[in-house]
Amino acid sequence: MGALSDAYMARDRSLGQARVLWEIGDGCDVRALRARLDLDSGYLSRLLRSLEGDGLVRVEPSTADARVRIARLTRKGAAERQVLDKRSDELAASILEPLSESQRERLVAAMDDVARLLTASMVEVAITDPRQPEAAYCVQSYFDELRDRFDQGFDHTRSISADNAELTLPAGLLLVATLHSEPVGCGALKLHGDEPAEIKRMWVSPDARGLGLGRRLLTELEREAVARGASAVRLETNRNLVEAISLYRASGYTEVPAFNDEPYAHHWFEKSLKA
């Protein structure tokens, strides 16, 4: 497919340079570009300098924050990107042409599976200080989604608390999932010794759904609860969160009578963590 050629798509640059050119698009923060491609900062700087030297890219300070550098395509760079796009489409068409319609569908479906699984493997989950920006982003996104999905909206000040102090060890913890250094999900625990731990703040970004991240976060929270002596985990949820309810039931959670007075809850679940 030309990935190992020094002249990708018969152009005078490598795949690495072509990929950076493509990802810059209409303009991109250099830090975000580095995170998205998971590149060493020195290597990315060399790629950008080579593209600048060819007159394809310019790197300049952001008008909003001079400390932030933005990479933008020049007119020549935009034209080069269009050529790469056209030749990439032609290469894909040449690969698909010998295949029947059903074979093409199978190939594309298999490629989708590979892409999804590889993306899932790149997600990192770690205990994070709830005061960190990525944690605050996830929690606020969680609040925003509940506000949009609940029949009567959502006001976190009326809900049972799970504030920063309660989500900091030893009182509790917050897991944040990141993909290419960007936050894409979270889940929290409130710990109560050997009593059931409370699962809170379960959220997955729409961009990361379909990767099995919700189940992974739930499993990680259960492991953390076991490691810290909890005998079980509990959670409450709203009837409109049908995907979450399905996940809890499929993961061995049993619906139980209400164990708190959460005003937004319609279902209460519990799962024993005893071996």
Side-chain angles (χ1 to χ4, degrees):
M1 298 183 71
L4 300 181
S5 172
D6 289 334
Y8 183 66
M9 295 292 175
R11 307 303 285 172
D12 294 330
R13 58 193 50 83
S14 67
L15 173 61
Q17 292 171 310
R19 179 63 188 274
V20 169
L21 197 66
W22 173 263
E23 291 289 348
I24 288 172
D26 295 327
C28 185
D29 180 337
V30 172
R31 291 178 299 183
L33 185 65
R34 183 171 65 245
R36 187 185 309 159
L37 297 177
D38 195 21
L39 294 177
D40 173 80
S41 59
Y43 179 55
L44 177 60
S45 293
R46 291 192 294 274
L47 289 174
L48 289 172
R49 283 199 299 270
S50 69
L51 293 171
E52 283 186 290
D54 290 340
L56 303 175
V57 169
R58 65 178 185 274
V59 180
E60 55 197 11
S62 166
T63 55
D65 185 345
R67 296 170 298 177
V68 176
R69 295 190 305 147
I70 305 294
R72 303 186 189 278
L73 299 182
T74 63
R75 181 175 299 179
K76 181 180 177 182
E80 178 67 12
R81 190 178 188 273
Q82 289 182 339
V83 172
L84 287 169
D85 195 21
K86 181 175 182 293
R87 294 193 178 184
S88 179
D89 286 346
E90 291 171 348
L91 174 60
S94 72
I95 294 171
L96 294 172
E97 185 177 5
L99 303 179
S100 68
E101 186 64 28
S102 64
Q103 288 175 318
R104 293 175 187 177
E105 291 175 357
R106 288 168 54 200
L107 176 61
V108 171
M111 292 172 69
D112 285 343
D113 279 343
V114 169
R116 185 166 54 253
L117 291 170
L118 287 176
T119 300
S121 75
M122 290 186 285
V123 174
E124 298 181 359
V125 177
I127 297 175
T128 304
D129 186 330
R131 300 161 188 82
Q132 291 297 311
E134 60 270 28
Y137 168 83
C138 287
V139 172
Q140 186 59 54
S141 297
Y142 166 81
F143 291 159
D144 292 344
E145 180 159 348
L146 297 193
R147 184 193 63 232
D148 293 340
R149 296 186 64 176
F150 287 5
D151 296 331
Q152 305 300 322
F154 178 76
D155 177 358
H156 74 273
T157 63
R158 294 185 57 225
S159 183
I160 292 176
S161 69
D163 60 27
N164 290 345
E166 292 175 296
L167 302 185
T168 302
L169 289 170
L173 59 88
L174 177 71
L175 297 180
V176 170
T178 56
L179 177 61
H180 305 310
S181 300
E182 296 294 324
V184 293
C186 64
L189 279 179
K190 290 171 65 176
L191 299 167
H192 307 289
D194 60 359
E195 294 297 313
E198 298 175 70
I199 291 179
K200 310 292 288 184
R201 307 295 192 248
M202 281 284 292
W203 174 78
V204 174
S205 167
D207 295 336
R209 290 173 191 174
L211 301 178
L213 181 53
R215 187 178 295 273
R216 179 177 171 188
L217 283 167
L218 190 60
T219 299
E220 293 287 345
L221 289 171
E222 291 170 4
R223 288 175 180 166
E224 293 290 349
V226 169
R228 287 166 172 77
S231 58
V233 282
R234 286 177 170 177
L235 59 91
E236 68 281 339
T237 191
N238 184 277
R239 62 189 171 204
N240 291 320
L241 303 181
V242 293
E243 307 92 342
I245 292 170
S246 177
L247 171 62
Y248 301 142
R249 287 176 171 154
S251 301
Y253 285 73
T254 301
E255 191 156 1
V256 296
F259 48 75
N260 60 27
D261 58 356
E262 169 58 53
Y264 294 104
H266 301 100
H267 302 274
W268 287 258
F269 290 94
E270 184 170 314
K271 180 178 180 178
S272 174
L273 299 178
K274 296 179 181 178

